[in-house]
Amino acid sequence: MRSINTIGILTSGGDSPGMNAAIRAVTRSAIYSGMKVFGIYRGWEGLINGEIKELTTESVSNTIQRGGTILKTARSDAFRTVEGRNQAYETMQRFGIEALVVIGGNGSLSGAVELAREHDVPVIGLPGTIDNDLYGTDSTIGYDTALNTIVECVDKIRDTATSHDRIFFVEVMGRDAGFLAQNSAIAAGAEAAIIPEDETHIDQLASFIERGIRKSKNSSIVIVSEKDGGAMHYAERVRKEYPQYNVRVSILGHLQRGGTPTAYDRILASRMGVAAIEAFNEGQRNVMIGVKDDKIVYVPIARAVKINRPIDKELINVLSILSI
Ligand code: F6P
């Protein structure tokens, strides 16, 4: 098998805390293995436009603790087209980049599958997204930090909710997945979570209200996943259907994506970054690095992006038992 001497690394899609720790790990372990490393700026856009600089061990100094991504990121429409991907491949040839490490979520890794298929480019993916929605890994880089950020915010909202005897609908990110909503609800002791995976969620609101939220409590927190109208939708419903309640909405928004990564995310990103280079050295191609039962695993990228990661029903049960 042909060995790889020069790699490119990019971050794409929504940034997530821990991406810098991953860039640092990939860069340093690639250099340790004798490879040359190019940093590609603004994700796939930068690969198309040739926004590329060589990275040294020093380029990634003092970055492990920083949120965001030092390589910047973008959502690229051009890369969704065959012409865009052809241009990206031309850039790779021009810089002598033989293989890519792509750090990102579902959309970014789907782009990698296309490029690999059309141009036979070896790619290793790292799951970088706060949504935790990639199949084949127990956790994605950034998820733990975002979860902790949400819990910190909800603890604060709880103070004012209790003081005013209010119901708060707190909207969290997650795109089509409810991992952030369900687990932050458990961790913050919320009364309910409304998530896209639970198809009975409309009734869930009614049953939550009807089972008498105020019997023993004077305030309630409901965490709502951003999909399907989010928190506003449910607050409006309560205002119309249960006007006796005092309702407020808090949409946490992009603050969930920022901040210094937790130790868990830094360690996860560091392990995955080193594993990416080991995977190339072992001859692996077109796999995403995942973690299962605390062990590094390789998952074909095409599977990781296609299969919907189910939410464990036990989590739904835990919340409903503990919120009585
Ligand atoms: O995928 C990460 C994520 O933060 C989602 O949770 C959210 O739906 C989306 O990105 C927001 O994207 P943007 O920052 O482009 O508005």
Side-chain angles (χ1 to χ4, degrees), residues 186-208:
I186 293 174
E191 279 62 32
I194 297 176
I195 58 169
E197 290 86 345
D198 188 346
E199 267 132 33
T200 62
H201 61 70
I202 302 279
D203 296 331
Q204 212 185 327
L205 175 70
S207 75
F208 155 70

Side-chain angles (χ1 to χ4, degrees), residues 103-110 125-129 131-141 177 179 288-292 299 301 303-310:
I103 308 169
N106 211 291
S108 312
L109 296 184
S110 301
L126 298 192
T129 166
D131 301 335
N132 206 29
D133 58 350
L134 285 162
Y135 176 84
T137 186
D138 288 341
S139 192
T140 54
I141 297 165
F179 295 95
M288 181 190 84
I289 308 294
V291 69
K292 276 268 162 206
V299 192
I301 302 181
R303 269 174 81 76
V305 297
K306 265 201 202 100
I307 302 177
N308 279 339
R309 190 175 162 206

Side-chain angles (χ1 to χ4, degrees), residues 31-84:
I31 292 171
Y32 179 83
S33 284
M35 295 175 184
K36 190 169 178 172
V37 185
F38 282 108
I40 299 157
Y41 289 79
R42 294 182 180 78
W44 296 120
E45 278 299 303
L47 191 58
I48 292 172
N49 304 328
E51 276 190 85
I52 294 174
K53 259 205 310 233
E54 188 173 347
L55 299 179
T56 64
T57 52
E58 289 75 27
S59 317
V60 290
S61 294
N62 197 15
T63 60
I64 196 167
Q65 78 285 13
R66 284 164 57 191
T69 160
I70 54 167
L71 290 178
K72 310 226 175 216
T73 187
R75 300 194 191 276
S76 173
D77 289 333
F79 196 74
R80 284 184 230 279
T81 65
V82 175
E83 300 73 50

Side-chain angles (χ1 to χ4, degrees), residues 233-282:
H233 166 74
Y234 291 99
E236 277 315 308
R237 262 197 67 190
V238 174
R239 280 191 187 113
K240 274 200 199 107
E241 295 167 36
Y242 311 92
Q244 67 274 33
Y245 296 126
N246 193 352
V247 180
R248 290 291 184 277
V249 165
S250 184
I251 297 173
L252 299 188
H254 285 79
L255 70 80
Q256 295 164 90
R257 285 229 299 255
T260 185
T262 58
Y264 180 88
D265 273 332
R266 296 182 200 194
I267 294 165
L268 181 70
S270 300
R271 289 177 70 193
M272 286 180 162
V274 171
I277 300 306
E278 277 170 4
F280 275 142
N281 288 338
E282 284 171 17

Side-chain angles (χ1 to χ4, degrees), residues 46-220:
L47 191 58
I48 292 172
N49 304 328
E51 276 190 85
I52 294 174
K53 259 205 310 233
E54 188 173 347
L55 299 179
T56 64
T57 52
E58 289 75 27
S59 317
V60 290
S61 294
N62 197 15
T63 60
I64 196 167
Q65 78 285 13
R66 284 164 57 191
T69 160
I70 54 167
L71 290 178
K72 310 226 175 216
T73 187
R75 300 194 191 276
S76 173
D77 289 333
F79 196 74
R80 284 184 230 279
T81 65
V82 175
E83 300 73 50
R85 291 192 293 273
N86 288 346
Q87 257 176 289
Y89 182 63
E90 273 168 34
T91 312
M92 286 181 69
Q93 288 181 308
R94 188 151 41 92
F95 281 83
I97 297 172
E98 299 156 281
L100 290 176
V101 176
V102 176
I103 308 169
N106 211 291
S108 312
L109 296 184
S110 301
V113 173
E114 293 298 302
L115 185 73
R117 195 170 51 79
E118 291 165 1
H119 296 284
D120 196 22
V121 171
V123 179
I124 300 289
L126 298 192
T129 166
I130 64 165
D131 301 335
N132 206 29
D133 58 350
L134 285 162
Y135 176 84
T137 186
D138 288 341
S139 192
T140 54
I141 297 165
Y143 169 65
D144 183 66
T145 306
L147 193 56
N148 279 284
T149 302
I150 295 168
V151 171
E152 204 183 315
C153 293
V154 175
D155 287 348
K156 292 189 164 114
I157 291 170
R158 170 86 69 191
D159 291 343
T160 176
T162 312
S163 304
H164 285 268
D165 291 343
R166 282 175 171 160
I167 301 178
F168 262 84
F169 287 89
V170 181
E171 183 177 310
V172 301
M173 283 186 169
R175 202 178 285 278
D176 297 329
F179 295 95
L180 283 171
Q182 188 66 32
N183 282 319
S184 65
I186 293 174
E191 279 62 32
I194 297 176
I195 58 169
E197 290 86 345
D198 188 346
E199 267 132 33
T200 62
H201 61 70
I202 302 279
D203 296 331
Q204 212 185 327
L205 175 70
S207 75
F208 155 70
I209 300 274
E210 275 148 26
R211 78 175 186 244
I213 42 167
R214 303 252 161 167
K215 269 193 205 125
S216 58
K217 298 173 185 177
N218 292 322
S219 65
S220 294

